[in-house]
Amino acid sequence: MSWQAIGIFDSGVGGLTVLREIFRALPQEDTIYFGDTARVPYGTKSPETVTRYAHEITTFLAKRDIKLLVVACNTASAVALNALKREFPIPVVGVIEPGARRAVEVTRSGRVGVIGTAGTIKSSAYSRAIKRLNPAAEVITRACPLFVPLAEEGWTDNQVARLTAQTYLQELREARVDTLVLGCTHYPLLKTVIAETMGPDVVLVDSAEETARTVAEILSKKKMMRPPSEQGNHHYYVSDIPAGFIRVGNRFLGGRLGDVYQVNLDEESAGD
Ligand code: DGL
């Protein structure tokens, strides 16, 4: 058993959809969340830049003695996961592998759609992960960058959201995918509109849910899980002023955030 917290980070509020699932699966665990609100979005940035950010944040969290790291951001998982695994001596869980595994389990036709940020789609990380598990699978991908601001604005069930979904998802419908991976932290908020657009025969895979399941499996296998009778404490850090994070974050988390602290990663690393 280990009393240390689970560390989790994202480019901003999006990773709270992953945290929400971790709360559900492991309510007894302490968590430390970092949202890089000063540098969001990651989805439009180069792999080198995102990897550098991911390294700085993991260094910050590792100093808080975490027992496991969850890279909740799909873009950071897509481009920086291997580097983090090499550099930090703790289990590191990304969102790509769990989502890919679930997609391979549920697809009947082998035609799988993946949607995400431009960075995630360009990296081909989901396609590679799915094909590693099922080389015969056909993976059709599409970047849907406008879904991110729509989710943050709370425009998840109106005409703008529906039209945007219809436009982005047209090719995936034509390709007759039977499974669609929601490969971005923000997309679970648009689940209703995406499901409506894709039709009842397409199964949506929520990477957030699958990731929480993977975290529970790892903690259990490594005998690091806290007793279920415990109640976890939760800490939140951001790199810009907390006001916007709190406003949007409560919706993403589906509950009330605790205190949110602003930190300056440059000052943190200068103290080394
Ligand atoms: N969190 C990002 C992801 O899941 C979406 C927002 C961003 O572009 O930073 O890819």
Side-chain angles (χ1 to χ4, degrees):
M1 185 172 51
S2 159
W3 293 96
Q4 294 154 285
I6 296 171
I8 168 165
F9 83 85
D10 178 52
S11 53
V13 287
L16 294 173
T17 58
V18 180
L19 189 65
R20 183 177 61 191
E21 298 303 329
I22 290 175
F23 285 177
R24 249 182 224 156
L26 296 162
Q28 71 271 38
E29 297 293 337
D30 286 354
T31 62
I32 305 175
Y33 183 93
F34 188 95
D36 198 3
T37 48
R39 305 188 288 197
V40 68
Y42 284 6
T44 52
K45 297 198 168 70
S46 70
E48 294 73 23
T49 298
V50 173
T51 303
R52 179 161 50 84
Y53 293 170
H55 184 94
E56 288 169 11
I57 296 165
T58 308
T59 303
F60 170 85
L61 290 170
K63 277 190 204 155
R64 272 134 198 96
D65 196 28
I66 55 172
K67 61 181 168 187
L68 177 146
L69 174 74
V70 180
V71 183
C73 178
N74 285 252
T75 310
S77 291
V79 302
L81 198 73
N82 290 338
L84 297 177
K85 281 184 173 169
R86 272 196 309 273
E87 288 158 25
F88 294 90
I90 46 168
V92 179
V93 179
V95 285
I96 308 273
E97 199 65 41
R101 198 168 354 115
R102 183 77 188 140
V104 168
E105 275 163 19
V106 299
T107 182
R108 288 146 290 142
S109 68
R111 277 193 300 281
V112 178
V114 177
I115 52 177
T117 65
T120 298
I121 298 305
K122 194 150 178 265
S123 76
S124 303
Y126 270 110
S127 306
R128 277 201 308 275
I130 292 169
K131 282 182 169 289
R132 235 188 340 261
L133 297 165
N134 176 4
E138 203 183 321
V139 187
I140 298 103
T141 62
R142 178 75 162 101
C144 305
L146 290 178
F147 281 169
V148 168
L150 284 176
E152 292 197 8
E153 191 62 27
W155 288 16
T156 52
D157 194 16
N158 65 11
Q159 275 306 97
V160 182
R162 263 184 281 281
L163 260 179
T164 309
Q166 278 158 17
T167 310
Y168 279 146
L169 304 177
Q170 179 67 19
E171 286 163 39
L172 294 159
R173 293 185 52 195
E174 283 166 12
R176 296 183 160 277
V177 299
D178 72 352
T179 305
L180 180 63
V181 180
L182 307 179
C184 174
T185 48
H186 289 57
Y187 300 177
L189 277 94
L190 288 144
K191 233 183 215 170
T192 308
V193 162
I194 294 171
E196 232 171 66
T197 310
M198 293 307 292
D201 298 331
V202 176
V203 180
L204 302 186
V205 172
D206 183 339
S207 291
E209 282 172 19
E210 300 307 323
T211 302
R213 215 165 299 175
T214 302
V215 171
E217 276 165 26
I218 293 175
L219 291 185
S220 155
K221 211 182 308 161
K222 291 189 177 289
K223 305 209 179 324
M224 289 169 105
M225 212 184 259
R226 295 177 67 171
S229 52
E230 295 294 320
Q231 184 62 45
N233 290 307
H234 310 294
H235 292 93
Y236 301 89
Y237 295 95
V238 288
S239 50
D240 198 358
I241 51 166
F245 178 85
I246 294 169
R247 186 169 34 80
V248 180
N250 286 329
R251 192 153 38 78
F252 274 60
L253 190 66
R256 284 200 65 73
L257 291 160
D259 291 337
V260 180
Y261 300 98
Q262 183 178 356
V263 289
N264 181 331
L265 289 178
D266 291 337
E267 282 171 14
E268 287 276 330
S269 57
D272 289 343

